Amino acid sequence: MKTPVIVDAIRSPMARAKPDGALAELHPVDLLSQVLEQLVARNQLDPATVDDVICGCVSQAGEQAGTPGRLAWLAAGLPAHVPSTTIDRKCGSSQQAVHFAAQAIMSGTQDIVIACGVESMSRVPMGSSRMGKNTTGARFDERYAPGLVGQGVSADLVAAKWGLSRSDLDAYAARSHQRAHAAQSSGAFAREIVPIRSPLGLVSADETIRASTTPEKLAGLKAVFENEELSARFPQIQWSTTAGNASQMTDGASAMLIMSEERALQLGLRPRARFVAFDVVGDDPLYMLTAPIPATQRVLAKARMQLGDIAHYEINEAFASVPLAWQKELGADGERLNPRGGAIALGHPLGASGIRLMTTMLHALEDSGQRYGLQSMCEAGGMANATIIEVLR
């Protein structure tokens, strides 16, 4: 069996998904094409040798409906014979793209694969692909009567189940911004970000980080998912989730060069990390956001490791209650949890987030001289991917 390794991992700056956002005037294909172009160029890779491009994208509608990885590859002027496919495992789409790329190499069917992800949430709003239709069907609705709830309500259910207060959520959210600001100010993001040309000019830094955020300021925000009918159904909910302690809707793209260790060495490229283990699991779709807990337990068991063996944890900050519940349930060290901030500060461009997290984790492990990192992301429908990587020296 061949050993898949990470040769490089990069991302675009994270931009606010608003009309005046730094990337809002850039078509998602043009955004991703620049990331792919720079990934190939900085590794002096012959693009004709790439076997496949696996792209995570959640809202596959409108400008993102046309197999965005394929279109971006061609838009970058790269060889037409290289194919692409699009993955939708909701928020973990590009993390799943990484898993599929690594598995293809392990099987021996492919040697060089680019995993990537893109989401322009300003141009293709979340939920666009549903077109207002019921996506569940009668049999599903019957099984889960009286019905599932939106992710924000699930976030409040998680907070209630794990005894997380509004002040806990706000303190965590403020810390995310503080950690991301410290990383940005120190230049820690410099190696992982590639500049993007937009109609408004060159974008080279994240615009989502709010250095002045404090728990006191966040405490003034209104809970956004409070609902009288749901309050009667779920009296335990305290309605604590706000726009300030949830992930930001963002435009962004990311990409990772994965190949067999043998091929990397043949090409004179340095393998930067290997995959220790990966997994994906489902959990209660009502709570929806809890699957990172069993996913972590399963991937650690596969790797024959303990959580304490891991130096860096990336648990996606879809909502503050998600990493906090994960930390509380598993007894994790908060200093190792999202040490450079997470989606509350950096944003969550759905299809691009999986590789964004892994890119940040890889660079942080290299900078600190540490060895193992673990990543997991909650996904709509109550699923989660989990990955353990080992940095190679």
Side-chain angles (χ1 to χ4, degrees), residues 48-65:
T49 63
V50 175
D51 294 306
D52 205 356
V53 176
I54 306 177
C55 180
C57 184
V58 174
S59 296
Q60 296 176 40
E63 293 179 344
Q64 294 177 168

Side-chain angles (χ1 to χ4, degrees), residues 123-183:
R123 300 175 72 93
V124 188
M126 186 167 57
S128 295
S129 58
R130 291 197 295 269
M131 300 176 65
K133 303 295 184 180
N134 179 326
T135 59
T136 53
R139 298 185 70 191
F140 180 94
D141 292 345
E142 181 180 358
R143 177 176 179 180
Y144 289 103
L148 301 184
V149 295
Q151 289 192 25
V153 179
S154 291
D156 280 320
L157 282 170
V158 169
K161 182 174 181 177
W162 273 271
L164 303 169
S165 68
R166 169 69 184 269
S167 61
D168 292 333
L169 305 185
D170 288 344
Y172 181 89
R175 187 163 64 248
S176 181
H177 282 280
Q178 292 160 5
R179 289 179 171 182
H181 175 63

Side-chain angles (χ1 to χ4, degrees), residues 166-354:
R166 169 69 184 269
S167 61
D168 292 333
L169 305 185
D170 288 344
Y172 181 89
R175 187 163 64 248
S176 181
H177 282 280
Q178 292 160 5
R179 289 179 171 182
H181 175 63
Q184 185 179 61
S185 300
S186 69
F189 290 141
R191 289 195 301 129
E192 68 187 63
I193 293 177
V194 294
I196 300 296
R197 300 178 304 277
S198 84
L200 299 178
L202 192 68
V203 183
S204 58
D206 299 316
E207 70 166 356
T208 53
I209 303 168
R210 297 190 295 269
S212 62
T213 298
T214 64
E216 292 73 24
K217 289 181 179 179
L218 293 175
L221 298 177
K222 182 181 178 181
V224 292
F225 300 105
E226 188 168 359
N227 176 289
E228 185 175 340
E229 179 182 345
L230 291 175
S231 291
R233 179 180 169 188
F234 303 111
Q236 71 271 36
I237 291 182
Q238 299 300 309
W239 303 111
S240 300
T241 299
T242 72
N245 58 42
S247 59
Q248 298 183 55
M249 290 186 285
T250 313
D251 300 335
S254 56
M256 180 175 289
L257 177 58
I258 302 170
M259 59 179 67
S260 66
E261 184 175 30
E262 178 184 15
R263 179 57 62 90
L265 296 175
Q266 286 175 351
L267 296 175
L269 296 169
R270 181 176 68 87
R272 293 170 61 181
R274 74 175 183 94
F275 298 95
V276 178
F278 32 70
D279 206 347
V280 62
V281 67
D283 202 14
D284 186 342
L286 176 64
Y287 279 80
M288 195 181 302
L289 312 170
T290 57
I293 294 170
T296 295
Q297 293 167 330
R298 281 167 53 114
V299 80
L300 286 169
K302 281 187 173 182
R304 298 182 180 179
M305 299 178 72
Q306 303 294 320
L307 192 60
D309 299 327
I310 308 294
H312 183 125
Y313 318 130
E314 283 288 331
I315 306 300
N316 192 38
E317 296 173 0
F319 302 91
S321 59
V322 176
L324 284 174
W326 179 91
Q327 178 186 358
K328 193 168 185 178
E329 181 69 21
L330 299 177
D333 180 357
E335 294 304 310
R336 306 184 197 186
L337 175 59
N338 301 343
R340 292 187 172 179
I344 291 172
L346 294 168
H348 183 14
L350 304 180
S353 287

